[in-house]
Amino acid sequence: MNDSPEEAIDLGRKLATFSEHWQPRTVATFNGHDIMVVKVKGEFVWHSHDDTDDLFLVLHGNLRIELEDRTVRLGPGQLFVVPRGAAHRPVADEEAHLLLIEPTGTPNTGDPATAATRRTI
């Protein structure tokens, strides 16, 4: 991370540094949690996190979070917390930009064997 703790982190500038979808980038840490930005498009895999809730905050675009019993629709400035253990699948018909907050080391698929490599920018 190139930003010093005394400087604001420009999320738009961070998002402009990559184009891959479903590959979160850590932009800061906070009390043992990674604050990440990610570009998403299409369907992610159904998964759950046994040890933590899953927070999604939409910065740009629209996101659906499909749950077993319902679908939550989010637009810019809206967030949703998936409870720990709940199976879910994020879906974006068009590219969307998200902010995620997770305990450091949480695999994005819920399974370390299939998770994206955590990158810091």
Side-chain angles (χ1 to χ4, degrees):
M1 289 175 282
N2 295 334
D3 300 293
S4 73
E6 299 83 28
E7 294 182 23
I9 296 169
D10 185 323
L11 298 179
R13 193 177 86 221
K14 296 291 188 181
L15 282 156
T17 67
F18 64 96
S19 60
E20 301 88 1
H21 296 126
W22 306 109
Q23 300 290 317
R25 305 302 205 272
T26 301
V27 297
T29 58
F30 176 75
N31 293 332
H33 288 68
D34 288 340
I35 300 173
M36 299 169 287
V37 292
V38 63
K39 292 179 178 180
V40 299
K41 185 176 180 183
E43 299 175 347
F44 198 59
V45 297
W46 278 97
H47 68 284
S48 63
H49 302 276
D50 293 334
D51 300 323
T52 185
D53 300 328
D54 207 0
L55 181 143
F56 296 85
L57 170 64
V58 177
L59 302 171
H60 168 79
N62 295 286
L63 182 73
R64 287 191 320 271
I65 301 175
E66 297 177 349
L67 302 159
E68 292 176 321
D69 62 345
R70 65 191 165 118
T71 297
V72 176
R73 297 178 189 285
L74 302 173
Q78 295 183 311
L79 69 83
F80 182 74
V81 177
V82 177
R84 82 182 61 212
H88 61 285
R89 177 174 72 165
V91 178
D93 295 326
E94 302 292 330
E95 184 174 273
H97 302 167
L98 312 176
L99 181 111
L100 310 173
I101 301 173
E102 296 178 345
T104 298
T106 300
N108 68 333
T109 60
D111 179 356
T114 60
T117 301
R118 192 63 56 96
R119 298 176 186 156
T120 300
I121 56 174

